[in-house]
Every structure is written in C-alpha cells, then in structure tokens.
Amino acid sequence: MSSDYDEVCRLGRELSNWGRWGDDDEIGTLNLVDAAAIRRGAACVRDGVGFSLALPLGEGGPHTNSIPGRFNPHHYMTAIGLSVPASPFFHFSDDVVVLPLNAATQWDSLAHVHYEGRLYNGRVADEVLSVGGAARNGIDKQARHPFATRGVLVDVARSRGVDRLAAGTAVEPDEVDAVLAATGTAVESGDVLLVRTGHMRTFLVDADREAFNGPAPGLGLAMAPWLRAHDVAAVAADNVMVEVTPSEDGSTICPLHLVTIRDMGLLLGEMFDLEALASACAEAGRWEFQFVAPPLPFTGGISSPLNPLALL
Amino acid sequence: MSSDYDEVCRLGRELSNWGRWGDDDEIGTLNLVDAAAIRRGAACVRDGVGFSLALPLGEGGPHTNSIPGRFNPHHYMTAIGLSVPASPFFHFSDDVVVLPLNAATQWDSLAHVHYEGRLYNGRVADEVLSVGGAARNGIDKQARHPFATRGVLVDVARSRGVDRLAAGTAVEPDEVDAVLAATGTAVESGDVLLVRTGHMRTFLVDADREAFNGPAPGLGLAMAPWLRAHDVAAVAADNVMVEVTPSEDGSTICPLHLVTIRDMGLLLGEMFDLEALASACAEAGRWEFQFVAPPLPFTGGISSPLNPLALL
Amino acid sequence: MSSDYDEVCRLGRELSNWGRWGDDDEIGTLNLVDAAAIRRGAACVRDGVGFSLALPLGEGGPHTNSIPGRFNPHHYMTAIGLSVPASPFFHFSDDVVVLPLNAATQWDSLAHVHYEGRLYNGRVADEVLSVGGAARNGIDKQARHPFATRGVLVDVARSRGVDRLAAGTAVEPDEVDAVLAATGTAVESGDVLLVRTGHMRTFLVDADREAFNGPAPGLGLAMAPWLRAHDVAAVAADNVMVEVTPSEDGSTICPLHLVTIRDMGLLLGEMFDLEALASACAEAGRWEFQFVAPPLPFTGGISSPLNPLALL
Amino acid sequence: MSSDYDEVCRLGRELSNWGRWGDDDEIGTLNLVDAAAIRRGAACVRDGVGFSLALPLGEGGPHTNSIPGRFNPHHYMTAIGLSVPASPFFHFSDDVVVLPLNAATQWDSLAHVHYEGRLYNGRVADEVLSVGGAARNGIDKQARHPFATRGVLVDVARSRGVDRLAAGTAVEPDEVDAVLAATGTAVESGDVLLVRTGHMRTFLVDADREAFNGPAPGLGLAMAPWLRAHDVAAVAADNVMVEVTPSEDGSTICPLHLVTIRDMGLLLGEMFDLEALASACAEAGRWEFQFVAPPLPFTGGISSPLNPLALL
C-alpha cells in the first residue's frame, strides 16, 4: 500500500471518526470502552496473575538524550530523612522529577499530531498553546475515562519463531489475522490490541538505546483500516513509534500516527514492555486479559507516562 | 489512645511486618495482593462503570506552592506543531513537566518516612541517597507488583450525614467497623481500604488550598492495629495525609505514617478523589469494587502520582 | 502626559531606533556602549570599592510563586560529597536549578515585549518560537557585547527625603534633571541610568513579597523621550517593572516597556538592589561609577539573571 | 612532582589559607581582591575594548548529556507573545531553564570538593545539605564580593606555537614564568590568572564534545604552590577542569581541585572561552586587562555560570 501524504489524506477521510461521538468529543475511540468492554475485560481474569508493562522512569530509561525534549527523567531529592526541630524523632524524604511526558511507556494524546491545521474532531491546531498545552484533546481529557477493558496480545515475533522482527519490517493485517486465528482469539469493539515485535529486546537485552530509537519494526499503514474495522479502543506496541520506521514508502513521517490519532481519534501506546506478558500468554495458551491503562491527568498534556497492567 | 513516640515505638514493634516476606522484601503489604485478591477484585466488576480517583496534575492542583519541594507541576511545551524541513505535512507537539512526586493523588513508597535510622524491613535510612533516591524500598519496587485487588469504600462523612468531617476529627476503628457493618461489607486480606472524610470538598468545592493543606480529619493512630489485623494491602483517603492532623496527642508528627509505612510496610494513598465513586456506591448500594492503582516505576522514587481506577 | 496606546504608538514612532545600527542589529542601545563609554566607566573607579546589585537566587527570592512561570528558583543537589569507587579520598558536590529567567535581578532582552506583531528593529513577533525561544533579539545576542560603562545613580527617594516613594508615584524628567543637577552629575551617551525609588525596601526590609510585586513607584512614560534624548545604554531600577505601576492613565499595561524595548531597543533592568550603593554614593558625594552588568548568554533567552557590579 | 593523595595532604597543609581571613571566612582568596586590586584592574582599561568569555547556555553547550547532573540547559517558554484580555495591544514572552550550575563557563564555589570530611576553612562537609545545598562556603557567599580585578592571560598554546596542547599535557610553573617573562607581565596579589591551553578549540572548532570532556591539557599540581606564592585571587582556564586530566600520577582524581578549593580557598574557573581575548592580547602586545567576573548569588549553590568580561 502506498503511504504518501495523499494516501494519508484519503485514508484519513475514509476512516474518520470526527463527529461520531459528538462535536465536543475529546476522547475518541476510548468511547468504545463501554460497560460491556469493562465487564469483558474483568471476566478475563482467571489465574489472578498480573504484569506491569512499564519501563523504568529514570536515568536508565530508553532515551538517548540526544534529542532536546526527549530525555530520560531527572530525579532530584527535595528532602532526605529531614526532621523538624520540634520533633526530631520523625524523618521524611521527598523528591521531584523533570519528566518529558513522552519518557518511556506512554500514551500519545489526541493532541500529539496534526496535519492541515486540524486536530482530531476538527479542532484547530492552534488550540495547542505555547502556555498550557493542549486546550482540547489533551491527555487530561482521556485520563478521566475509566480505561479498563480487554486486551489482546498479537505476538508476531513468537508467531514467526524469531527473537525479534528486523528493523523496517511492517506488520500487516493478514499476519495479524493469522496470529489471531492461530491463537483462537477474536478482537471485539473496545478491545485494545497489543502488538509484540520483539524490538524491546534491543533496549532490554542489548541495552542499545541508539538502535532502539532508530529504524524499527512496527505496524504498516494498512493496519489503519483494520483497526477502524475492528473498532479497537487503542493499540500499543513494544517499540518507540508503534508504526514501522522508516515508513513503508520511505518518505512520509509517521503516516499511521496521522491517520489514527488525528482522524480516528485512536490512542497509540509506545514502548510497552510485553516480554513477561508474552511468555505468560504462551504458557497459559491464551492471549486475552484484562488491560487497565489509564494515563495520568496532566492538564493540557500531550502524552502521559503510565504503568499499564495486564491481568490474566 | 495515646500517640506519643513511645506509643509509636510500641505499636511499631507489635505490628511489625519486618521479615514476614523475607529479609529482602521491598513491597510490604503489597505481598497480600495475591492471586486470590486479584481474582476477588475482578469479580467485583458487575455494572461495568468506572471512576478515576485522580486529581489534576497541573497548575490547578492542590498544593499551595508555599513549601519548597511541594508545588503544583510546571508544564512546558518542547514542541508545538513542529514540522521537519523535509516533510512539512507532518506536525507534532511534545511536552515536559517539573513534577514533585508527591503532587496530587499519590502513593507514598516504603522509603518515605523512618525513625531510629531504619526504614521498612530494617533497611538503614542511609539507603535513601542524595543522588538516586531510595536504593531500597523505593516506589519502583512497588510498581512492579500488579496492584489490582478489591477496594472497599468506608464513607464516614455519608455515614454521619455530613458534608465533611471537621478538621482534627479522628476516624477510629469502632466507626469503621460500624460503617462496614451497616453497608454489609467485610474487609479481607489483600483488600484496599478507601476512607472518605469529605475533606476533599475543601479543595474541590471551596477551592481553598490553604485549608485543604491545613488541619484535616483522618485516621486515628488506633487504626494501625485494625489495618494490621485485617491485613489490608493499602489504605487511601481523600485528604493530604491519610491520618488526622494535627495528631491526636497534639505533639507527634504523622505517627500513623511511621507505624504503617516503616513498621508494617503498608502503602498510604493520599489525595484520592472519592466524590464520584462515593455517590455511585451509595446509589448502587454496594461499597466494594475492583481497585487498580499501580504507582509508576520512578527509579528510586519516594512517591508516585497515579491515576487509580475503581470499577464496579 | 497621556499614556494610552495611541500615545505609545506615537512615541514609538518618534523615538524609534529601528535601522539606526543596521537592519540586522539585535542589541539596540547597547551599541552606545562604545570604547569611549567603556573607558569612561573604568575611569570612575577611584576608591576601589564595589557593590553587587543582585538579589539572591533561591527560595528566599522576591517572587510570590502565585503566577505560573514566575517563581523563585528551585535548587536541587545532583551530587553531595560523592566519591568514586576507585578513589574514595576525593569528594565532590554538584547542583541544578529550575530557574525562571525573570527571577530576581535581571535584564529584559529586546524580545521580551511587542505590539502590532513586531519586535525591536522590525523583526516579526513570530521569531519568538515555542521551541528555542527568541530566534532574534534574544538575550544571547546582547550578552556578547561587553556591557561595561559608566553608571549614574539617581536616588529619588533620598532626594525627596523619604524612605521610599509611594506605590503609583511616577518619576518624571523634571525630577530626574533636578536630582542630577543637585548631585552635579551629567548623563552622557552610553551611560546607564540607575533609578532608586526605595521600593526594594518593601522586599528587603518589610519582607512583603505581595506588596513588592504589586503597585509600585517607577518611571513615568515621559521618561522615554528623556532616555532617548540622553542616549542612555540602559535603565535599571529597584522595583519589579522599572516603570510606575499601575500606569499613569490607569488602563495601559507597561507602556514604557513597549516604547523602550520594542521601539528604542533599550534594555530594562529590574529588581536591582541599590541600597548599599546608594549609601556609599551619598557618603562619597558622587553618584557615578563603573557599571559592569553583562547578561548571561542563554540561547534564545527572553531575559537573564545577572550579578551587576558598581565600582567606585 | 608526585601527586598521590599523601602529596595532596602534604600540599594542603603547606598551602592552607584556613584561618587567614578569620574563622568565619567563606570567600577565601577573593579577600585578595581589595581596593588596590579593584583600582589596578580598572587602570588596565586603555583601548575600551572588551570580550565576553562565556560559552552559550543552551542545547548547543559543551556537555555531552551522558552524565546525570551534567547536561546542557533545557530552555522552555512560559509565555509567547501573551496578551491579557483587557489589553490585547500589549504582548510579552517569558521563559525558564533547567540549569546545572556547572553548565558551561562557571566558577566552582568553595563547597565544591572536599576530603577528610572538611571543606575550606575547616567547615564540616556535612554542611553541604541534601536540601538547601552549601550552608557554608556556597557561591552565594562569594557572589557578594565585588569580583573585579586585574586579569593576566598566560597563552601557553601561543607561546609554544601550537593550535592547542595535547591532552594530558601538564602546564608547570617554569613554563608559566617563562610566558610571563616573555610578555613582560608580572602577577600581583589579587590578580586572576587565565591560562589558555587551546583545548577550547576541541569544542568550538571541532565541535567534538566527547573529546572536549575527555582527557585534556591543564595545570599540573605543581602550580598549587605557585598560585599560593603569587596570591592570585582565582585561576581560570579554557578546559573543563582547569587541571590536567588524567592527573599526572594517573591515579588521583582532581588533586589540584582538592588543594586549591579546599585548602587554599581558591576559586577555579572552568570552560572560559579565551580565544578572542587571546587574539586581541597578541595584537595589542599586552596580556593584562580588567577582569570582571562575579558569580551569581544562587543560595547554597555549589557553582555558578556567569558571563566574565575582560576589558583592555
């Protein structure tokens, strides 16, 4: 499939969710996380085991620190065992971080990307302010919705019998369908799709931040219609951008971001650590689970770090 | 009950969980969130409705900014609709925050307070470092455990038929037992207790940050044995300190913090917004729900903001 | 004199220095600090005594912390007596600040204010970028010029025989001329004018930050033609805004800022502590001195804190 | 000369200035900047030309960002052309930085390094606090002194006829004396010595931050007695550490830091850009000038960036 910007525009119009949940909507496909989805998610909890899908937030994080605005969090102590003069028995510690909201495991909000001057649901891009950030579509809006539903893991690397996909490999709908069929899993409206490429091993096993942040396997642009047809609430992956980089046509930048976030109002989850979860799914022989992953309500925030849980 | 520091020491020894989960344990009562608790929590999801219990993280947050190290997060844009020269179609925004880890809704880690030179499980207080923070017992350790269990709301304000309890009012075991009995709810090992005093209305309704951060209703020290006897995994409240302030004897500082965090290894959840949840519980006539509240894995972190969810 | 915005525009046109030092100029009246001015300043050093005119940069600074973006600097330690494993003899400490560039004693750059879409020298206001800051006219440009010249103190409070001028008092050209005449001092091209209102005592003596940041005495708008006629290189005062607040007509905001910074390309120095210097001048009976006050080269910076020195 | 730690201790005792300016002294050799030195400095201003010796403070700065706590400043906008509802004519911009106090051109304070538990003048090292920083000997103390004196440039690279000295080259007293003799310059008590190795070209010309922050030419430990004998007020250089790295014996870390800062109370100036000044000195045939270089009064600060001026 071509993925130049004409194709982005065409797909954007075709898959658009603008107006679907009202002209004032600021949460997009999170609307699909309804009572049925919340119950369906909870019903997946059988073994009572759970997994944190978050990378560490600290100097040991996944960023290379070479791009301004994208660095591993700085952590400073504001109290270390402090006491108060009147009460020397009591001691406390406190701390503060300087935290890029795109540090490590995160959701991109519906204000993260745009084209032709418009954000999701037709908001003008100028509503992302130099002071205050996203006046519309910010992560604080999405954080108010109870983001708990069923998650479905598509372990592409395991399905291919490889440690990880090569950089630049696009994951396409046929393969996703085949993996789902092989694992006997069906995706329903309001589910979240988690795609494992194995690219996370470049950071976690190889400790190679440069390579982890460089070209990577990920979703091809053809996944956009698939995600829309299945009405997933969000998609997350174990790489930096969710989508394949460089893009399939080699010239466009993040075409899947543009169509999913801006036109579909779909949240993208980046740098999710799926390693332990994938092993557990393979052992249990089921790839569905309760998935609880609310972002934090940063006012006007463009993204939010979080600690997503998968419960089997 | 007296709450001078001799009493703190005596209670600490009596209620100690040191060694209970091994000498290397760094997560304390989170160990009680086992497979049974995870399943019990999920089984509470019947209506498929959910509530975020988090306050906003931004300039509109609950801090007064008058105490160094305790201020509402600063939010800065690092990209606003930026494009790249080769690809002017694509635009993105990014941001960063300066974030006290005790800003707004949070868990205190097991490294937050200490006395007599020891943290939870006998770690020396010097393991809270000036650089790197909590080498032991930090919030990153607790963040790895899948913190999803059953939550039980004890709505003391509603039980008393008041808007909110007066500042300085101590919530004691007898009242908690009475509220639980009246609502037909039993607390089991691994549950989380959520206590509503109504004090949150001082911030949310009155918008009075000074009063919100001043004297407040909260748990009395006598709740420590109760929490230990019921083996709850954590306790959270809708005030700044969980415990009543000033303390009941008027002289000790945060005695409940010391016994619960340092001796019992129990997490305290502060500034939880229980207003909407409490209304829903009253309407539904049940006060138990799935409670999913993992902190974020800030390396060496003393606390962590989060977005806790209650699912009914 | 009227000071509504029509008057601002009229004065702006009349006093404009746009193009005076070339179309690419980004330092404005600092151009007047030439070899003669540098020598004239140095020649003022007779007694060999000097004064720092800077307020402290720390939690004890002059801000109230109630306005986002204007707070006293946060200071964090990044190393405290750290050693390295191979060499336990050596210990070092390091630190970091979160620093509003308008914290405490500062120069406003020529990118700080604008009207009608234009900065000093006709630069479009859009050259102040959301990322990178002032692409033109930033403080980094002004920091390259050797800002050392003659300073002249006009001690209005002392001249009036008062501790400080009342809030809202405008200092006008006649009074400045009278003070200069009484002290036998003449202002030449390239000099810096330092105006003492005594308002700094509201912070330093009364410790009343609210009042210090509220209505204040300062320069009236009629000083703009005076400053242009005398071709001073900069003007600094012991208040927050240099100019009188509220403005004389009660409706315009910072009219003197607009005309001086945007039209004249004149740097304004805010929150200069002139107390010790003023006492020394009175005792010595001379009100001129070497004044050395380079801002720091913050790339794209809108302002810069500094430690200005006056040497007699 | 040997430079193991026994030698550091021996030199420290021999060259100590502890008690020389009273037991409460916190500014060390800045005491040598007296009225005579201030006048002597001003008297050097003949041509009326000046040079800023500061590197840029921004993402383009000299740090590699690979060491936590040592990174190039982050610059964020807190207002961009903002207006106020009542007055849409007026627009302003503001900004903030996250600034390591050792970023770029800086003075190390007398609290920066220690050994055997003692800072300069016998202060216990514990007076460097986890919150608040240097309670004693901090840069705020040194910032109060009027730091304007005579500066003397020793251009070692030019004297040797090279672009720059090789990494690891120690500059020793004999060579300094020879350069001074060749340029007809004598160093007096209270002067500041500026040593040019040419290493700055590794950053400014080669743009090689890794190499700039690696092994470098600089002062040998034998310069400590020389600096003490000449009673200079401070020494600055165009490298990262002032002293040669690695140290001459290959095993000790920053031995010159320890003796000068901790025992002598001597300020070290790091990353001074001497390129333009050196050219001007060579052209003018004189290597002395007024040197004005006050640090900024960061409360409890361990270091301070600044914009040093040299005026000929």
Side-chain angles (χ1 to χ4, degrees), chain D residues 181-228:
Chain D
T183 57
T185 314
V187 171
E188 295 178 52
S189 167
D191 285 350
V192 168
L193 188 76
L194 296 130
V195 179
R196 181 173 173 270
T197 67
H199 186 65
M200 181 57 75
R201 301 178 70 81
T202 304
F203 172 58
L204 291 180
V205 179
D206 304 352
D208 187 342
R209 287 182 176 87
E210 295 289 343
F212 182 62
N213 285 277
L219 273 57
L221 184 56
M223 280 299 294
W226 189 99
L227 295 166
R228 179 72 169 80

Short mmCIF file of all heavy atoms in Angstrom, two decimals, chain D residues 181-228:
data_model
loop_
_atom_site.label_atom_id
_atom_site.label_comp_id
_atom_site.label_asym_id
_atom_site.label_seq_id
_atom_site.Cartn_x
_atom_site.Cartn_y
_atom_site.Cartn_z
N ALA D 181 57.39 36.17 31.64
CA ALA D 181 58.61 36.94 31.40
C ALA D 181 58.65 37.42 29.95
O ALA D 181 58.96 38.58 29.66
CB ALA D 181 59.84 36.10 31.72
N ALA D 182 58.28 36.52 29.04
CA ALA D 182 58.33 36.87 27.61
C ALA D 182 57.33 37.97 27.27
O ALA D 182 57.54 38.74 26.34
CB ALA D 182 58.05 35.62 26.77
N THR D 183 56.24 38.02 28.01
CA THR D 183 55.23 39.04 27.72
C THR D 183 55.38 40.25 28.63
O THR D 183 54.59 41.19 28.58
CB THR D 183 53.81 38.46 27.88
OG1 THR D 183 53.67 37.94 29.21
CG2 THR D 183 53.56 37.35 26.87
N GLY D 184 56.39 40.22 29.47
CA GLY D 184 56.65 41.37 30.32
C GLY D 184 55.58 41.64 31.34
O GLY D 184 55.31 42.79 31.71
N THR D 185 54.93 40.58 31.81
CA THR D 185 53.83 40.74 32.74
C THR D 185 54.19 40.14 34.09
O THR D 185 54.74 39.03 34.14
CB THR D 185 52.57 40.01 32.20
OG1 THR D 185 52.41 40.33 30.82
CG2 THR D 185 51.33 40.43 32.97
N ALA D 186 53.88 40.85 35.15
CA ALA D 186 54.09 40.32 36.49
C ALA D 186 52.74 40.10 37.16
O ALA D 186 51.83 40.92 37.00
CB ALA D 186 54.92 41.29 37.32
N VAL D 187 52.62 39.01 37.88
CA VAL D 187 51.37 38.72 38.59
C VAL D 187 51.48 39.25 40.01
O VAL D 187 52.46 38.99 40.69
CB VAL D 187 51.10 37.21 38.59
CG1 VAL D 187 49.94 36.87 39.52
CG2 VAL D 187 50.81 36.73 37.17
N GLU D 188 50.45 40.00 40.43
CA GLU D 188 50.45 40.54 41.79
C GLU D 188 49.33 39.93 42.62
O GLU D 188 48.40 39.33 42.09
CB GLU D 188 50.27 42.07 41.74
CG GLU D 188 51.43 42.78 41.07
CD GLU D 188 51.18 44.30 41.01
OE1 GLU D 188 50.88 44.89 42.06
OE2 GLU D 188 51.27 44.85 39.89
N SER D 189 49.41 40.12 43.89
CA SER D 189 48.39 39.62 44.81
C SER D 189 47.02 40.17 44.43
O SER D 189 46.85 41.37 44.23
CB SER D 189 48.72 40.05 46.24
OG SER D 189 47.62 39.83 47.09
N GLY D 190 46.06 39.27 44.31
CA GLY D 190 44.70 39.70 43.97
C GLY D 190 44.41 39.66 42.48
O GLY D 190 43.26 39.87 42.08
N ASP D 191 45.41 39.43 41.67
CA ASP D 191 45.16 39.23 40.23
C ASP D 191 44.48 37.89 39.99
O ASP D 191 44.50 37.00 40.85
CB ASP D 191 46.49 39.23 39.45
CG ASP D 191 47.09 40.62 39.29
OD1 ASP D 191 46.40 41.61 39.61
OD2 ASP D 191 48.25 40.70 38.85
N VAL D 192 43.90 37.76 38.80
CA VAL D 192 43.38 36.46 38.38
C VAL D 192 44.22 35.97 37.21
O VAL D 192 44.51 36.73 36.29
CB VAL D 192 41.90 36.55 37.97
CG1 VAL D 192 41.45 35.28 37.26
CG2 VAL D 192 41.04 36.78 39.21
N LEU D 193 44.60 34.71 37.28
CA LEU D 193 45.39 34.11 36.22
C LEU D 193 44.48 33.36 35.26
O LEU D 193 43.68 32.52 35.68
CB LEU D 193 46.41 33.13 36.84
CG LEU D 193 47.46 32.56 35.88
CD1 LEU D 193 48.52 33.63 35.58
CD2 LEU D 193 48.12 31.32 36.49
N LEU D 194 44.60 33.68 33.97
CA LEU D 194 43.82 32.97 32.95
C LEU D 194 44.80 32.21 32.06
O LEU D 194 45.70 32.82 31.47
CB LEU D 194 43.02 33.97 32.12
CG LEU D 194 41.95 34.73 32.94
CD1 LEU D 194 42.04 36.23 32.72
CD2 LEU D 194 40.57 34.21 32.61
N VAL D 195 44.61 30.91 32.01
CA VAL D 195 45.56 30.06 31.28
C VAL D 195 44.89 29.50 30.03
O VAL D 195 43.87 28.83 30.10
CB VAL D 195 46.05 28.90 32.18
CG1 VAL D 195 47.01 28.01 31.41
CG2 VAL D 195 46.69 29.45 33.45
N ARG D 196 45.52 29.78 28.89
CA ARG D 196 44.99 29.28 27.62
C ARG D 196 45.81 28.09 27.14
O ARG D 196 47.00 28.20 26.88
CB ARG D 196 44.99 30.38 26.56
CG ARG D 196 44.41 29.89 25.24
CD ARG D 196 44.25 31.00 24.22
NE ARG D 196 43.85 30.38 22.96
CZ ARG D 196 44.72 29.98 22.02
NH1 ARG D 196 46.01 30.14 22.19
NH2 ARG D 196 44.27 29.40 20.91
N THR D 197 45.10 26.95 27.04
CA THR D 197 45.74 25.73 26.53
C THR D 197 45.35 25.47 25.07
O THR D 197 45.93 24.63 24.40
CB THR D 197 45.28 24.49 27.33
OG1 THR D 197 43.89 24.27 27.08
CG2 THR D 197 45.50 24.69 28.83
N GLY D 198 44.32 26.15 24.60
CA GLY D 198 43.80 25.89 23.26
C GLY D 198 42.79 24.75 23.22
O GLY D 198 42.16 24.48 22.20
N HIS D 199 42.60 24.07 24.36
CA HIS D 199 41.69 22.92 24.38
C HIS D 199 40.26 23.31 24.01
O HIS D 199 39.50 22.49 23.49
CB HIS D 199 41.71 22.27 25.78
CG HIS D 199 40.93 21.00 25.86
ND1 HIS D 199 41.27 19.86 25.18
CD2 HIS D 199 39.79 20.69 26.55
CE1 HIS D 199 40.40 18.89 25.45
NE2 HIS D 199 39.49 19.37 26.27
N MET D 200 39.91 24.56 24.24
CA MET D 200 38.56 25.02 23.89
C MET D 200 38.26 24.83 22.41
O MET D 200 37.11 24.69 22.00
CB MET D 200 38.44 26.50 24.26
CG MET D 200 37.10 27.16 24.00
SD MET D 200 35.73 26.33 24.84
CE MET D 200 35.99 26.89 26.53
N ARG D 201 39.30 24.80 21.59
CA ARG D 201 39.09 24.63 20.15
C ARG D 201 38.52 23.25 19.82
O ARG D 201 37.88 23.07 18.79
CB ARG D 201 40.40 24.86 19.39
CG ARG D 201 40.96 26.26 19.63
CD ARG D 201 42.29 26.49 18.94
NE ARG D 201 42.15 26.56 17.49
CZ ARG D 201 41.75 27.63 16.81
NH1 ARG D 201 41.46 28.74 17.46
NH2 ARG D 201 41.64 27.61 15.50
N THR D 202 38.74 22.31 20.71
CA THR D 202 38.16 20.98 20.51
C THR D 202 36.64 21.07 20.52
O THR D 202 35.95 20.36 19.78
CB THR D 202 38.66 20.01 21.62
OG1 THR D 202 40.08 20.00 21.60
CG2 THR D 202 38.13 18.60 21.40
N PHE D 203 36.12 21.97 21.33
CA PHE D 203 34.67 22.19 21.31
C PHE D 203 34.28 23.21 20.24
O PHE D 203 33.41 22.94 19.41
CB PHE D 203 34.19 22.67 22.69
CG PHE D 203 32.75 23.09 22.71
CD1 PHE D 203 31.73 22.21 22.32
CD2 PHE D 203 32.39 24.38 23.09
CE1 PHE D 203 30.39 22.61 22.33
CE2 PHE D 203 31.05 24.78 23.10
CZ PHE D 203 30.06 23.89 22.70
N LEU D 204 34.93 24.37 20.24
CA LEU D 204 34.46 25.47 19.38
C LEU D 204 34.76 25.24 17.90
O LEU D 204 33.94 25.59 17.05
CB LEU D 204 35.09 26.79 19.82
CG LEU D 204 34.61 27.34 21.16
CD1 LEU D 204 35.33 28.65 21.46
CD2 LEU D 204 33.10 27.55 21.16
N VAL D 205 35.88 24.66 17.60
CA VAL D 205 36.26 24.47 16.19
C VAL D 205 35.88 23.06 15.71
O VAL D 205 35.24 22.89 14.68
CB VAL D 205 37.77 24.72 15.98
CG1 VAL D 205 38.15 24.50 14.52
CG2 VAL D 205 38.14 26.13 16.43
N ASP D 206 36.26 22.06 16.51
CA ASP D 206 36.00 20.67 16.10
C ASP D 206 34.57 20.24 16.42
O ASP D 206 34.08 19.25 15.87
CB ASP D 206 36.94 19.69 16.81
CG ASP D 206 38.41 20.03 16.60
OD1 ASP D 206 38.70 20.93 15.78
OD2 ASP D 206 39.25 19.39 17.25
N ALA D 207 33.92 20.95 17.35
CA ALA D 207 32.57 20.56 17.78
C ALA D 207 32.54 19.13 18.30
O ALA D 207 31.56 18.42 18.13
CB ALA D 207 31.55 20.76 16.65
N ASP D 208 33.62 18.73 18.96
CA ASP D 208 33.74 17.36 19.46
C ASP D 208 33.57 17.38 20.98
O ASP D 208 34.53 17.50 21.74
CB ASP D 208 35.10 16.79 19.06
CG ASP D 208 35.23 15.31 19.41
OD1 ASP D 208 34.44 14.82 20.25
OD2 ASP D 208 36.12 14.66 18.84
N ARG D 209 32.33 17.24 21.40
CA ARG D 209 32.04 17.31 22.84
C ARG D 209 32.68 16.15 23.60
O ARG D 209 33.11 16.31 24.74
CB ARG D 209 30.54 17.27 23.08
CG ARG D 209 29.81 18.53 22.72
CD ARG D 209 28.33 18.35 23.07
NE ARG D 209 27.57 19.56 22.84
CZ ARG D 209 27.03 19.89 21.68
NH1 ARG D 209 27.17 19.12 20.63
NH2 ARG D 209 26.34 21.02 21.56
N GLU D 210 32.69 14.97 23.01
CA GLU D 210 33.27 13.82 23.70
C GLU D 210 34.74 14.09 24.03
O GLU D 210 35.18 13.88 25.15
CB GLU D 210 33.15 12.56 22.82
CG GLU D 210 31.74 12.10 22.55
CD GLU D 210 31.05 11.49 23.77
OE1 GLU D 210 31.76 11.13 24.73
OE2 GLU D 210 29.80 11.40 23.77
N ALA D 211 35.47 14.54 23.02
CA ALA D 211 36.90 14.80 23.24
C ALA D 211 37.10 15.98 24.18
O ALA D 211 38.01 15.97 25.02
CB ALA D 211 37.59 15.07 21.90
N PHE D 212 36.24 16.98 24.07
CA PHE D 212 36.38 18.16 24.94
C PHE D 212 36.24 17.76 26.41
O PHE D 212 36.94 18.29 27.27
CB PHE D 212 35.34 19.21 24.57
CG PHE D 212 35.43 20.47 25.38
CD1 PHE D 212 36.57 21.27 25.33
CD2 PHE D 212 34.38 20.88 26.19
CE1 PHE D 212 36.66 22.44 26.07
CE2 PHE D 212 34.45 22.04 26.94
CZ PHE D 212 35.60 22.82 26.88
N ASN D 213 35.33 16.82 26.68
CA ASN D 213 35.09 16.39 28.06
C ASN D 213 35.99 15.24 28.49
O ASN D 213 35.87 14.75 29.60
CB ASN D 213 33.62 16.01 28.25
CG ASN D 213 32.72 17.23 28.30
OD1 ASN D 213 32.58 17.85 29.35
ND2 ASN D 213 32.13 17.62 27.17
N GLY D 214 36.87 14.80 27.62
CA GLY D 214 37.78 13.70 27.96
C GLY D 214 39.10 14.23 28.46
O GLY D 214 39.19 15.34 29.00
N PRO D 215 40.15 13.44 28.31
CA PRO D 215 41.49 13.87 28.71
C PRO D 215 41.83 15.23 28.09
O PRO D 215 41.45 15.50 26.94
CB PRO D 215 42.39 12.77 28.17
CG PRO D 215 41.50 11.55 28.16
CD PRO D 215 40.14 12.08 27.77
N ALA D 216 42.52 16.06 28.84
CA ALA D 216 42.76 17.44 28.41
C ALA D 216 44.07 17.96 28.98
O ALA D 216 44.54 17.48 30.01
CB ALA D 216 41.61 18.32 28.88
N PRO D 217 44.63 18.94 28.32
CA PRO D 217 45.77 19.64 28.93
C PRO D 217 45.26 20.51 30.07
O PRO D 217 44.07 20.85 30.11
CB PRO D 217 46.29 20.49 27.77
CG PRO D 217 45.08 20.77 26.93
CD PRO D 217 44.23 19.52 27.03
N GLY D 218 46.17 20.86 30.98
CA GLY D 218 45.75 21.72 32.08
C GLY D 218 46.86 21.89 33.08
O GLY D 218 47.99 21.39 32.88
N LEU D 219 46.56 22.57 34.18
CA LEU D 219 47.58 22.86 35.17
C LEU D 219 48.03 21.60 35.90
O LEU D 219 47.22 20.76 36.30
CB LEU D 219 47.04 23.86 36.22
CG LEU D 219 47.19 25.35 35.87
CD1 LEU D 219 46.52 25.68 34.55
CD2 LEU D 219 46.64 26.21 36.98
N GLY D 220 49.34 21.49 36.08
CA GLY D 220 49.88 20.43 36.92
C GLY D 220 49.74 20.79 38.38
O GLY D 220 49.50 21.96 38.74
N LEU D 221 49.90 19.78 39.24
CA LEU D 221 49.72 20.01 40.67
C LEU D 221 50.78 20.98 41.22
O LEU D 221 50.55 21.69 42.19
CB LEU D 221 49.79 18.68 41.42
CG LEU D 221 49.52 18.71 42.91
CD1 LEU D 221 48.17 19.34 43.23
CD2 LEU D 221 49.58 17.29 43.49
N ALA D 222 51.91 21.05 40.54
CA ALA D 222 52.97 21.95 40.99
C ALA D 222 52.57 23.41 40.87
O ALA D 222 53.24 24.30 41.42
CB ALA D 222 54.25 21.70 40.20
N MET D 223 51.50 23.67 40.16
CA MET D 223 51.02 25.05 40.08
C MET D 223 50.41 25.51 41.39
O MET D 223 50.26 26.72 41.63
CB MET D 223 49.99 25.20 38.94
CG MET D 223 50.62 25.34 37.56
SD MET D 223 51.70 26.80 37.41
CE MET D 223 50.52 28.15 37.56
N ALA D 224 50.01 24.58 42.27
CA ALA D 224 49.39 24.98 43.53
C ALA D 224 50.31 25.88 44.36
O ALA D 224 49.90 26.97 44.77
CB ALA D 224 48.92 23.75 44.31
N PRO D 225 51.54 25.45 44.61
CA PRO D 225 52.44 26.35 45.36
C PRO D 225 52.66 27.68 44.63
O PRO D 225 52.77 28.74 45.27
CB PRO D 225 53.74 25.55 45.45
CG PRO D 225 53.33 24.12 45.25
CD PRO D 225 52.14 24.15 44.35
N TRP D 226 52.72 27.63 43.33
CA TRP D 226 52.93 28.86 42.56
C TRP D 226 51.75 29.83 42.78
O TRP D 226 51.95 31.03 43.01
CB TRP D 226 53.06 28.49 41.08
CG TRP D 226 53.50 29.62 40.17
CD1 TRP D 226 54.77 29.85 39.70
CD2 TRP D 226 52.68 30.66 39.63
NE1 TRP D 226 54.79 30.96 38.90
CE2 TRP D 226 53.52 31.48 38.84
CE3 TRP D 226 51.34 30.98 39.73
CZ2 TRP D 226 53.04 32.61 38.16
CZ3 TRP D 226 50.86 32.10 39.06
CH2 TRP D 226 51.72 32.89 38.29
N LEU D 227 50.54 29.29 42.69
CA LEU D 227 49.35 30.14 42.86
C LEU D 227 49.31 30.73 44.27
O LEU D 227 48.94 31.89 44.46
CB LEU D 227 48.08 29.32 42.60
CG LEU D 227 47.90 28.80 41.16
CD1 LEU D 227 46.81 27.72 41.10
CD2 LEU D 227 47.56 29.94 40.20
N ARG D 228 49.74 29.92 45.24
CA ARG D 228 49.77 30.40 46.63
C ARG D 228 50.84 31.45 46.81
O ARG D 228 50.64 32.48 47.47
CB ARG D 228 50.01 29.20 47.54
CG ARG D 228 50.10 29.50 49.03
CD ARG D 228 48.75 29.87 49.60
NE ARG D 228 48.78 29.91 51.06
CZ ARG D 228 49.25 30.93 51.76
NH1 ARG D 228 49.73 32.00 51.16
NH2 ARG D 228 49.24 30.90 53.08
#
